[in-house]
Amino acid sequence: MSDITILHKKIGMKYSPFIIAEMSGNHNQSLFTAMKIVEAAAIAGADALKIQTYTADTMTISTRSTDFVVSDKKSPWHNQSLHELYQQAYTPWEWHQAIFDRCKELGMIGFSSPFDESAVDFLETLNVPPCYKIASFECTDIPLIKKVASTKKPMIISTGMSSIAEIDETVLTAKNAGCEDIILLKCTSTYPASPMHSNLKTIPNMKEVFQCQVGLSDHTLGIGTAIASVVLGASVIEKHLTLSREDGGVDASFSLEPHELRMLVEESKSAWQAIGNVHYGPTEAEINSKSYRRSLYITEDMQKGEELTKSNLRVIRPGFGLAPKYYDVLLGKKVNKNISRGTALTWDIVE
């Protein structure tokens, strides 16, 4: 499968994971906080900062009828109406240009998840986003997929809740509408998500089935799940970011704080480097260490013609003598000259 380039960043298994910091609604309706989150993401080493483009009215309607109220008692948004939730969480559209500009100043890629066609039209007027993200809940919104794909920009698509048939339909729709570069993200759409439900083995399967770059949109607590995904082939990792979980906010409870994002950046790169290639034998870095293996050494002063015994021949470190596998063969053999204690045993001193 081909690598993908988004602005100055190349995405693929030949490169360290592309790390996306998701701001979501963690700005708590403060532009000052939003800018601090952008700066924190850059300091932590994230490659990209993502926001979301919608309004409460483009997402849903204002009502508290049963269908429109979060009923799950385990949800951080329990008993809120959808309209109320999105009113709290949305990023004002008049902030977008300033956020994207600040990302560019700090060397990060700034982009967004549009949630309806009007959001795509708006983002296109900014002439900024080099790619688009499709949220899991919009993965099956075929009209939106067509609209975004028609921009011909790379699409990063979260697949939480989606069956393989639904993902296939979305991918085919995007390709037929003009999108050539697609990245799928394995995702578990619970908040927070449990590592037990992350099913990271899906990542290599998804790469094989859809022949595209695959990553992880991770809502678990901490960074362990994200790091594990790298070993299974994730080339992109998306995590929510907040300045402090104590600040509260719609997504704060399952978001990383800046020092944790820094750990994710560093450890995901380490995990990627550790994958390496199939290799046996010493690496270049291990060559010098071979001298500290065990080998055969004379451990007592010996006279010419004296036999090698268990008391004067031992398997010890370092490794400059004959290999330990010859120990039984050499017992009882005679030395052909006087030998000092601490001499590495070699064939030329044995009769």
Side-chain angles (χ1 to χ4, degrees):
M1 64 198 66
S2 301
D3 297 332
I4 290 176
T5 301
I6 300 178
L7 288 184
H8 57 281
K9 295 296 296 186
K10 291 186 179 295
I11 299 171
M13 289 308 294
K14 292 185 292 186
Y15 310 96
S16 60
F18 183 75
I19 307 298
I20 303 169
E22 163 66 87
M23 183 187 299
S24 185
N26 286 333
H27 48 65
N28 289 330
Q29 295 303 308
S30 165
L31 178 57
F32 177 81
T33 300
M35 289 303 193
K36 286 295 182 183
I37 292 175
V38 173
E39 292 164 6
I43 292 170
D47 297 295
L49 184 286
K50 189 184 80 66
I51 59 177
Q52 299 177 353
T53 306
Y54 64 83
T55 67
D57 290 329
T58 64
M59 288 287 269
T60 190
I61 58 174
S62 180
T63 175
R64 285 196 61 86
S65 63
T66 303
D67 285 356
F68 294 84
V69 175
V70 180
S71 58
D72 183 359
K73 292 183 179 180
K74 295 181 181 180
S75 170
W77 312 301
H78 173 61
N79 206 37
Q80 284 189 281
S81 77
L82 296 180
H83 195 274
E84 290 167 346
L85 173 62
Y86 301 136
Q87 188 62 41
Q88 294 174 38
Y90 92 108
T91 300
W93 292 19
E94 59 269 24
W95 294 2
H96 282 46
Q97 187 69 64
I99 290 172
F100 292 147
D101 288 347
R102 187 62 176 139
C103 286
K104 184 176 181 180
E105 290 170 5
L106 295 172
M108 281 193 304
I109 295 170
F111 68 106
S112 185
S113 294
F115 285 79
D116 78 323
E117 295 188 26
S118 70
V120 180
D121 290 334
F122 167 71
L123 289 165
E124 283 295 292
T125 67
L126 300 181
N127 196 31
V128 174
C131 60
Y132 284 102
K133 164 73 190 299
I134 301 296
S136 287
F137 292 85
E138 278 61 44
C139 184
T140 56
D141 184 347
I142 296 303
L144 177 62
I145 300 300
K146 289 180 179 178
K147 178 72 172 181
V148 173
S150 70
T151 69
K152 303 190 185 307
K153 294 177 179 178
M155 294 176 68
I156 303 171
I157 304 173
S158 279
T159 60
M161 305 166 291
S162 294
S163 68
I164 194 168
E166 289 171 331
I167 297 171
D168 187 55
E169 182 179 26
T170 294
V171 169
L172 289 175
T173 298
K175 288 181 176 179
N176 290 337
C179 180
E180 296 181 356
D181 295 325
I182 295 172
I183 300 170
L184 297 176
L185 300 186
K186 176 69 181 74
C187 181
T188 303
S189 296
T190 53
Y191 308 90
S194 165
M196 290 178 60
H197 299 147
S198 295
N199 294 313
L200 296 183
K201 283 187 176 180
T202 310
I203 290 173
N205 181 260
M206 194 178 285
K207 292 178 74 170
E208 180 181 358
V209 171
F210 295 104
Q211 290 297 298
C212 66
Q213 296 298 327
V214 175
L216 177 70
S217 179
D218 183 31
H219 303 125
T220 63
L221 303 178
I223 65 173
T225 300
I227 300 305
S229 75
V230 177
V231 182
L232 289 169
S235 54
V236 176
I237 298 173
E238 178 187 59
K239 289 282 280 187
H240 284 64
L241 176 64
T242 182
L243 296 179
S244 171
R245 283 186 289 273
E246 291 183 357
D247 291 344
V250 292
D251 296 336
S253 64
F254 56 88
S255 297
L256 297 182
E257 293 183 351
H259 71 281
E260 295 168 319
L261 179 62
R262 182 65 189 175
M263 288 176 61
L264 173 63
V265 171
E266 293 172 351
E267 295 304 320
S268 63
K269 184 174 182 179
S270 294
W272 167 74
Q273 290 172 328
I275 295 170
N277 303 296
V278 175
H279 180 87
Y280 295 96
T283 63
E284 184 177 348
E286 292 176 303
I287 293 295
N288 291 336
S289 296
K290 288 185 69 177
S291 64
Y292 297 103
R293 283 178 162 180
R294 286 177 175 263
S295 67
L296 297 179
Y297 267 80
I298 303 298
T299 56
E300 295 177 0
D301 290 340
M302 297 183 66
Q303 301 297 313
K304 179 180 178 180
E306 191 175 345
E307 288 187 359
L308 294 168
T309 68
K310 290 185 177 181
S311 64
N312 59 30
L313 178 64
R314 290 179 58 194
V315 177
I316 60 173
R317 294 185 184 186
F320 299 107
L322 292 172
K325 65 182 179 180
Y326 297 115
Y327 181 74
D328 289 336
V329 173
L330 289 163
L331 286 176
K333 301 291 186 184
K334 296 179 180 180
V335 295
N336 58 22
K337 59 182 178 179
N338 295 341
I339 305 295
S340 299
R341 179 177 185 267
T343 299
L345 185 60
T346 56
W347 290 116
D348 63 325
I349 62 176
V350 178
E351 287 186 353

